[in-house]
Amino acid sequence: MKAKRNLLALLLSVVIFWQGFSVVNAENVSPTPESSISLSSSAVEEEGNRTEITGVNPEDTENDLEEASLSNSADSTDILTMARAASLVGTGVERSDVIQNIRMTLNGNPIDENTKIYANTDFALKIKLAVSGKTVNNGDYAVVQLPGSLAAVSEDTEIKNDAGQVMANAHYDSTTKQLKIIFTENAENYSGADGEFTFLVRVNQSEGDTAKQVPINIPFNGRTFSIQLNYQGIGLDEEPNFWKNYGGSIEQYEDKEGTIHYLVHFFIQVNGRRLTKVGTVSEKFTNIEIHDKLISDVFSYVDPSDPDHSMNWKNASDADRFYPTLVRGVWRSGYRDEDYVFHPATDDGANRGPKWALQDVDNNALPARGDRVPLKYKDGKRAFDYRVGDLNVEEGFELQYYVEVNEVPQDGTVYRNDASITGDSISMGTHEREVPVQYSGGNLNGTGFTLRIEKRNEERQALSGAEFTIENKRTKVKKTVVTNADGIATLENAVLADYVIKEIKAPTGYVLDEQEQQIDKEELKRSAAGNATVTKFFVNKKANEAKPETRSVLVDKKWIQGNSTVQKPNKVKVYLVENGEKTNKVQELSEENGWKASFSNLPKKDASGAQITYTVAEENLQDYKPAISGTQDTGFTITNYTGDRVAIPVTKIWKGSGEHPLGLTVQLYAGSVRVSSAYLTAQNGWQYTFDMPKYDDAGKEIKYTVTEENLSGYTASRADEENNGYKNVFVNTKEKPNNPGGGGNTPNNPGGGGNTPKTPSGNTPKDPGTPPPSTPDEPGKVLGASRPMEDNPERKGEVLGESRPAVKGRAATKTEDKAAMKLYGVLFALSLISFSASLFGKNFFLKKRKG
């Protein structure tokens, strides 16, 4: 028994020690999702006919999915299933009033009575949703009843807003044929734009094989959407000749960093039996070459053999799927069973099957197999040639490859890619392939990243006609954009990537700005907290002219209404202030000019040659208080607030020559608790305005303070003018002008420095963790206000008129959570106690026995 007790105690200590170690490690390991490669349907459409394409083994995909599902425990699966099911059950009130309209499209084009709809053709049911201004609660739902003649392609779809929040879940019940849209708590008090939800449907198989008119009637909101579908039934696919096809949908691949890549799987199909011949070809074609060209400028070839263009594979084996492949065999007709196994017909004549596939030359019962092949790229990797060589007349082949879409595909977009074939005795024209985008899903605002360029001259006037290239640094895909009359050029629906922007043509009469500007992934990620837009500013000097001695001062007006019923005025007067003195120069801001104006052609110096400092002031507004941020160089934002909200402006001013930090973080405290933060940069005009609640839960007015980072090498001061609305104006003057960066590139303890408001005595601010996103709505904007940047290190001025030269970036430092070490220590202590107890017990019983 003694030996058993000792062994049991020892085992117990080991178990406790190991469990503590396992728990700690489990907490410190971040779960990494599996690679997400959506293999599209291998059925593709060719001018009204459908052809089966080979080279993709659906059985492998199904096996992979089955293995993945078996790797999850039953309990985990049940929990996830229950959670998902809970979000798809409308527990609130039915809201038919949110459905404003219903329409149908095929590949982005409206469907009418003449549109040909084939069996298994997916087309879009588009439902317009109007939620803004309506009282919609969590669990409320809308129902669309599909007729028996339609079937849904997908069952569950999420409807998201700009920030990626799920506004509603759409669920299709195949039994009742009801499409139910269930709103989440994110839709409550929604004030954004109305949206549209797309759901893919097809004609039900019960309608049969023959062509006929299929009546469609869908009731909604007291009305009925009606149309007669021109159903073509189920026919025989045409035998391939020389075609350019694709996988039927745009696939997605998630890389190691979680970035989504959008891919198109292309197939160039050749059938020797049906090639157009010149002269007589008895046995084989010779010197066959395939030529491919990317037409859509957002396309780029996926080339796993080129490490510089790697998609940052999550697993090394992922690259194997995307290598170009050549499949050679013989085209045979037949059918596919429910397991997607192809069965050749007895012959390809009178007894032919409805589908076609490449089969092994020697044994037609087996599928043809493919081999990896190299492609010879040209024209800046915008085209390729591939030499096939000889091909027997009775044989065929299929060249498969992938193309990446370097933007977020939008429903209704059409992409293009061309292919041609050359060879002895072959005469075939170029085959153009269009890739229309149809997505099941929806939004209630917009999607994608927007890369925005603002072009100005030195007087801050907008310049049109400036041309820029925006290049994806990995794929080398370039887009050319041109500034409009407002000096704005944009690239919308950009994917998460690193970009370089370069001006290639200056406006007439101006000198080209040769300074490239970069946009990296981290900057795009930060912008997602606002409206997913990053703005870069470019300034042109006039050709052969001395630098003008005038300036312009921009002013932008914003409103924060809170829950107040006070009506904002139709227009507001803003006055120019010179060296602290209000002038009679005035601008009226209103809805007509977007609440924006500019004081132009202002002299930089007075009669004595001294610099003039400009600020702005507005007329007194009843029931509103002003909050002003900015300077004469970056422009001013006047935010008027009322009700139960308060605006807290922040402005950063750098003084002294040389480079300054790229950015600086300011922290907002409510009492002693940090509640938010903002990252100030040249792109957002070194300013920001917090929109915060005025009262706490007890109804007491909240006292807010703002702190900034302590920067070594700088003398800190404040330049607030609270009576005029200028608050939290932080000024940093470089102590050592010859020391680039001034030692300020590494953030120190927030709350330090001479310009940091002190925390109330006796209270240590509690860090709530990661503060809520506070990146301005758009880099280069403050609450939506345009913030032109002037890179002019020679410009000098007084406090609010100081210029801000552009600087190089700073890297972020990762930190590690050590909280789990406490638990580890406790469990380790328990193991020691257990082991000591075993030894103590042994000695105790030995002494007792001896006694």
Side-chain angles (χ1 to χ4, degrees):
M1 291 298 293
K2 177 183 68 176
K4 290 183 179 180
R5 283 195 300 269
N6 290 342
L7 180 59
L8 181 60
L10 180 59
L11 288 174
L12 179 59
S13 65
V14 171
V15 168
I16 294 176
F17 176 84
W18 174 252
Q19 185 159 352
F21 179 80
S22 300
V23 169
V24 172
N25 276 276
E27 290 187 356
N28 288 336
V29 176
S30 299
T32 303
E34 292 298 321
S35 300
S36 174
I37 302 181
S38 166
L39 287 180
S40 58
S41 168
S42 61
V44 298
E45 194 169 21
E46 173 61 30
E47 300 168 358
N49 297 286
R50 303 187 67 81
T51 303
E52 294 296 319
I53 54 181
T54 62
V56 178
N57 189 347
E59 296 177 21
D60 293 342
T61 306
E62 293 171 2
N63 290 337
D64 292 343
L65 293 175
E66 184 177 359
E67 291 176 6
S69 64
L70 291 176
S71 67
N72 296 321
S73 67
D75 292 341
S76 300
T77 304
D78 290 344
I79 292 174
L80 292 173
T81 302
M82 291 171 63
R84 180 63 180 161
S87 67
L88 299 176
V89 178
T91 57
V93 178
E94 182 175 353
R95 297 298 304 272
S96 59
D97 60 322
V98 302
I99 300 179
Q100 295 297 299
N101 191 26
I102 291 179
R103 61 192 181 102
M104 285 182 174
T105 63
L106 174 62
N107 296 333
N109 300 313
I111 293 177
D112 57 28
E113 287 76 4
N114 297 318
T115 305
K116 293 182 179 181
I117 304 295
Y118 292 85
N120 298 322
T121 295
D122 297 342
F123 51 97
L125 178 68
K126 292 182 173 291
I127 304 168
K128 183 178 180 181
L129 301 176
V131 181
S132 180
K134 296 181 173 64
T135 305
V136 177
N137 298 315
N138 184 23
D140 287 356
Y141 61 94
V143 175
V144 177
Q145 180 65 59
L146 296 186
S149 54
L150 291 183
V153 176
S154 55
E155 293 190 353
D156 298 331
T157 308
E158 293 179 335
I159 304 174
K160 299 181 179 180
N161 65 4
D162 258 1
Q165 296 175 316
V166 178
M167 306 293 287
N169 290 292
H171 174 66
Y172 175 71
D173 189 326
S174 58
T175 303
T176 63
K177 288 191 173 294
Q178 283 189 342
L179 173 61
K180 183 178 287 188
I181 302 171
I182 305 102
F183 294 97
T184 70
E185 61 183 357
N186 295 322
E188 296 181 356
N189 302 317
Y190 175 73
S191 59
D194 295 336
E196 191 169 56
F197 166 64
T198 301
F199 202 73
L200 298 184
V201 296
R202 63 177 55 163
V203 175
N204 200 317
Q205 292 182 353
S206 61
E207 294 299 320
D209 300 346
T210 59
K212 62 180 178 180
Q213 295 293 310
V214 178
I216 302 295
N217 295 289
I218 303 176
F220 71 96
N221 198 8
R223 294 180 287 166
T224 301
F225 168 79
S226 299
I227 192 174
Q228 293 282 337
L229 287 183
N230 186 14
Y231 180 59
Q232 301 297 299
I234 300 175
L236 298 177
D237 290 347
E238 183 181 351
E239 182 179 356
N241 51 25
F242 168 63
W243 288 342
K244 178 70 170 291
N245 286 322
Y246 74 103
S249 65
I250 294 181
E251 307 173 14
Q252 295 184 19
Y253 172 75
E254 182 178 310
D255 68 16
K256 187 183 298 184
E257 295 181 350
T259 300
I260 298 298
H261 300 264
Y262 301 93
L263 309 172
V264 181
H265 196 181
F266 279 112
F267 305 81
I268 299 177
Q269 300 171 326
V270 176
N271 184 354
R273 293 197 297 257
R274 298 198 62 204
L275 289 178
T276 303
K277 307 175 184 63
V278 178
T280 302
V281 179
S282 58
E283 295 183 359
K284 64 181 179 180
F285 296 96
T286 56
N287 298 320
I288 294 178
E289 285 193 19
I290 296 296
H291 313 279
D292 192 85
K293 183 178 182 180
L294 300 178
I295 303 300
S296 293
D297 54 8
V298 296
F299 273 170
S300 63
Y301 291 110
V302 177
D303 181 12
S305 65
D306 184 353
D308 293 335
H309 293 171
S310 168
M311 285 197 295
N312 195 14
W313 312 111
K314 178 175 291 186
N315 303 296
S317 60
D318 290 351
D320 295 337
R321 304 191 183 194
F322 301 107
Y323 276 97
T325 302
L326 184 70
V327 181
R328 298 188 67 139
V330 58
W331 289 100
R332 291 298 314 276
S333 69
Y335 73 95
R336 292 191 181 276
D337 59 25
E338 59 184 9
D339 296 322
Y340 207 75
V341 176
F342 184 79
H343 301 273
T346 55
D347 64 76
D348 295 331
N351 298 317
R352 59 162 288 189
K355 305 295 181 184
W356 291 87
L358 270 176
Q359 298 296 103
D360 184 79
V361 174
D362 298 323
N363 185 351
N364 290 177
L366 298 177
R369 305 305 298 177
D371 296 313
R372 184 184 299 178
V373 294
L375 300 179
K376 183 181 179 181
Y377 296 104
K378 61 182 183 180
D379 300 338
K381 216 164 187 177
R382 301 288 303 163
F384 72 74
D385 297 326
Y386 177 71
R387 179 175 176 80
V388 179
D390 297 344
L391 177 71
N392 291 332
V393 172
E394 292 299 318
E395 295 179 357
F397 65 85
E398 183 174 74
L399 180 61
Q400 305 179 11
Y401 63 94
Y402 279 88
V403 162
E404 183 170 0
V405 184
N406 289 270
E407 69 176 10
V408 179
Q410 300 297 301
D411 187 55
T413 305
V414 177
Y415 301 113
R416 291 178 54 220
N417 192 10
D418 291 351
S420 58
I421 183 172
T422 59
D424 298 339
S425 303
I426 295 178
S427 176
M428 302 290 294
T430 298
H431 196 280
E432 176 184 302
R433 168 50 61 187
E434 292 187 346
V435 181
V437 180
Q438 282 193 139
Y439 270 153
S440 180
N443 66 79
L444 282 171
N445 234 339
T447 57
F449 293 103
T450 298
L451 310 185
R452 185 173 180 270
I453 297 170
E454 282 198 21
K455 166 62 70 173
R456 308 284 179 185
N457 61 16
E458 292 181 296
E459 285 71 52
R460 301 304 184 191
Q461 296 170 330
L463 297 179
S464 63
E467 293 186 16
F468 293 86
T469 57
I470 303 178
E471 181 179 359
N472 184 314
K473 295 176 69 175
R474 180 181 62 84
T475 63
K476 305 304 179 184
V477 169
K478 289 183 180 180
K479 289 280 288 186
T480 300
V481 295
V482 182
T483 57
N484 58 19
D486 296 322
I488 305 297
T490 58
L491 174 62
E492 298 182 344
N493 304 316
V495 296
L496 185 64
D498 297 325
Y499 295 91
V500 58
I501 303 176
K502 183 178 181 179
E503 184 175 358
I504 58 174
K505 181 181 178 181
T508 302
Y510 288 87
V511 178
L512 187 74
D513 186 348
E514 298 182 354
Q515 182 67 41
E516 295 181 351
Q517 295 198 45
Q518 311 282 332
I519 296 178
D520 59 27
K521 291 180 181 178
E522 294 306 315
E523 193 170 2
L524 289 173
K525 289 177 182 178
R526 289 195 299 268
S527 76
N531 63 353
T533 299
V534 173
T535 300
K536 295 296 179 181
F537 300 90
F538 287 80
V539 178
N540 285 117
K541 295 181 179 180
K542 286 187 177 180
N544 302 320
E545 285 190 13
K547 184 177 180 180
E549 291 299 318
T550 61
R551 71 162 71 246
S552 295
V553 174
L554 304 178
V555 60
D556 192 2
K557 160 70 61 185
K558 296 298 176 183
W559 301 92
I560 296 178
Q561 290 294 109
N563 65 347
S564 174
T565 58
V566 175
Q567 294 295 320
K568 66 182 180 183
N570 294 327
K571 53 187 177 181
V572 175
K573 291 182 178 179
V574 176
Y575 297 89
L576 183 69
V577 178
E578 295 183 8
N579 293 330
E581 296 293 329
K582 186 176 178 180
T583 70
N584 59 359
K585 297 177 182 178
V586 63
Q587 292 282 357
E588 280 193 347
L589 279 64
S590 65
E591 291 283 359
E592 293 182 359
N593 57 21
W595 299 102
K596 298 179 181 180
S598 174
F599 296 94
S600 302
N601 298 318
L602 301 176
K604 293 183 178 180
K605 298 180 180 180
D606 60 18
S608 66
Q611 291 281 347
I612 300 176
T613 299
Y614 293 100
T615 56
V616 293
E618 71 172 1
E619 61 180 325
N620 292 329
L621 300 180
Q622 187 177 359
D623 299 319
Y624 286 94
K625 291 183 178 181
I628 305 178
S629 63
T631 69
Q632 62 185 7
D633 292 311
T634 63
F636 296 95
T637 297
I638 305 176
T639 303
N640 291 105
Y641 60 98
T642 187
D644 61 353
R645 306 294 294 182
V646 60
I648 306 167
V650 184
T651 301
K652 160 57 60 182
I653 294 174
W654 300 103
K655 302 186 74 172
S657 60
E659 292 185 347
H660 300 293
L662 171 66
L664 180 140
T665 300
V666 293
Q667 310 286 353
L668 179 66
Y669 286 86
S672 61
V673 178
R674 180 168 64 91
V675 293
S676 189
S677 65
Y679 189 62
L680 307 183
T681 67
Q683 279 68 43
N684 58 28
W686 295 102
Q687 57 181 301
Y688 187 62
T689 301
F690 294 98
D691 178 1
M692 303 300 294
K694 187 174 183 180
Y695 305 101
D696 60 19
D697 294 338
K700 184 179 179 181
E701 187 169 348
I702 302 172
K703 176 66 174 178
Y704 290 102
T705 55
V706 179
T707 70
E708 68 163 4
E709 297 175 12
N710 180 30
L711 300 179
S712 61
Y714 284 86
T715 299
S717 61
R718 295 283 288 267
D720 298 0
E721 297 178 18
E722 295 200 15
N723 293 335
N724 296 326
Y726 294 92
K727 301 177 182 179
N728 304 308
V729 181
F730 297 96
V731 182
N732 286 89
T733 304
K734 185 174 289 189
E735 298 170 352
K736 298 178 180 179
N738 294 328
N739 180 16
N745 283 323
T746 303
N748 292 317
N749 180 29
N755 58 342
T756 304
K758 295 182 179 179
T759 303
S761 177
N763 293 324
T764 301
K766 297 179 181 179
D767 189 345
T770 303
S774 57
T775 304
D777 290 344
E778 176 177 333
K781 289 191 173 185
V782 175
L783 295 179
S786 296
R787 286 291 163 266
M789 177 189 69
E790 182 172 4
D791 296 334
N792 182 9
E794 296 179 359
R795 182 185 298 275
K796 297 181 180 179
E798 302 304 321
V799 178
L800 292 175
E802 185 59 34
S803 62
R804 294 152 184 192
V807 294
K808 298 180 180 179
R810 102 170 57 159
T813 303
K814 295 184 178 180
T815 59
E816 183 179 356
D817 184 4
K818 300 294 185 179
M821 293 303 295
K822 296 180 180 179
L823 175 61
Y824 190 13
V826 171
L827 295 175
F828 182 73
L830 288 175
S831 67
L832 290 178
I833 293 172
S834 175
F835 185 75
S836 300
S838 68
L839 296 178
F840 174 80
K842 175 181 178 180
N843 294 332
F844 176 82
F845 285 113
L846 286 173
K847 291 179 180 179
K848 188 173 183 180
R849 179 173 295 181
K850 291 179 179 179

